[in-house]
Amino acid sequence: EQTPRLPATSPYGNTKQMCEDILRDVVAATAASEGVVKGIALRYFNPIGAHESGLLGEDPNGIPNNLMPYITQVAEGKREFLNVYGDDYDTVDGTGVRDYIHVVDLAKGHLAALDYAMAHTGSEAVNLGTGRGSSVLEVLRSFEKACDKEIPYKIVERRPGDIATCYADTKKAKELLGWEAHHMLDEMTADGWNFTRKNPNGL
């Protein structure tokens, strides 16, 4: 959280920074008033998975922008193969590494943040992740295990702005909110596939 924010390569990152700045300024502007605003900016990493019941999950319209729903659609036969953007990064298998967090852990992180905000004033920015990275191919292999089938993929050119590795420093979330992620990658992919299997046409 103390790393300088430099989202120059990402319009999405720029908008996140703007929102954090607005939240911080509103909190500061109301600090001396009776209507004090409290704020916590939760910096999600990469939410995936679904509720273990299979009743609540992700089914995006159109072409997914994120890895997990794309893999899911290939597994369902809705898409022919997964595009893997680059295999020459300095990572365990050459593919990009990201911090994937189970959506249930993320939901619990929100509850912990609300509890903290009710008892404290001011604004904070807090990472919500696992603190561990998984490569694109590691996620793919985990999903193959979950659905018991091979997921076809093709290596294509890197995308502009992508970096090799990005995962959370989660110490602040544990110290400030008393929160940490508990679900591992295989649970995330298994729960994601369970939702898809039970809801082949979405909700």
Side-chain angles (χ1 to χ4, degrees):
E1 290 89 350
Q2 303 307 314
T3 303
R5 299 172 304 160
L6 301 169
T9 62
S10 168
Y12 174 74
N14 279 324
T15 62
K16 296 288 280 186
Q17 178 173 304
M18 290 177 201
C19 290
E20 284 191 8
D21 290 344
I22 291 168
L23 179 62
R24 181 200 62 215
D25 290 346
V26 169
V27 169
T30 64
S33 69
E34 291 184 8
V36 175
V37 175
K38 305 171 184 182
I40 298 184
L42 299 178
R43 296 177 177 175
Y44 304 174
F45 276 65
N46 295 267
I48 62 173
H51 191 269
E52 64 181 358
S53 66
L55 298 175
L56 188 64
E58 181 179 20
D59 185 48
N61 294 323
I63 300 174
N65 290 319
N66 298 321
L67 176 61
M68 186 71 155
Y70 208 113
I71 290 176
T72 301
Q73 290 190 6
V74 175
E76 288 183 286
K78 292 180 178 178
R79 302 199 180 277
E80 187 179 354
F81 57 84
L82 171 72
N83 285 322
V84 177
Y85 297 98
D87 65 348
D88 57 352
Y89 288 104
D90 184 16
T91 63
V92 62
D93 55 26
T95 65
V97 169
R98 299 292 182 268
D99 189 335
Y100 296 94
I101 177 174
H102 196 292
V103 291
V104 172
D105 280 330
L106 184 60
K108 290 178 179 178
H110 281 77
L111 294 176
L114 288 170
D115 287 342
Y116 178 85
M118 294 302 293
H120 298 82
T121 57
S123 63
E124 297 282 352
V126 182
N127 294 335
L128 293 185
T130 65
R132 296 176 297 276
S134 300
S135 74
V136 173
L137 291 183
E138 285 174 331
V139 175
L140 180 74
R141 300 305 177 210
S142 177
F143 198 91
E144 287 179 331
K145 185 163 54 173
C147 68
D148 194 29
K149 64 176 75 173
E150 185 175 334
I151 308 294
Y153 69 92
K154 288 185 179 180
I155 303 297
V156 296
E157 292 290 320
R158 292 186 183 191
R159 293 178 299 192
D162 274 356
I163 60 174
T165 302
C166 181
Y167 56 90
D169 180 337
T170 60
K171 294 190 203 73
K172 185 174 180 179
K174 188 171 183 179
E175 293 170 0
L176 199 73
L177 308 180
W179 173 92
E180 60 184 327
H182 294 286
H183 293 78
M184 300 295 104
L185 179 63
D186 283 350
E187 295 175 86
M188 301 179 208
T189 55
D191 287 343
W193 176 244
N194 183 45
F195 170 78
T196 300
R197 185 175 54 81
K198 291 182 176 179
N199 303 276
N201 298 312
L203 292 175

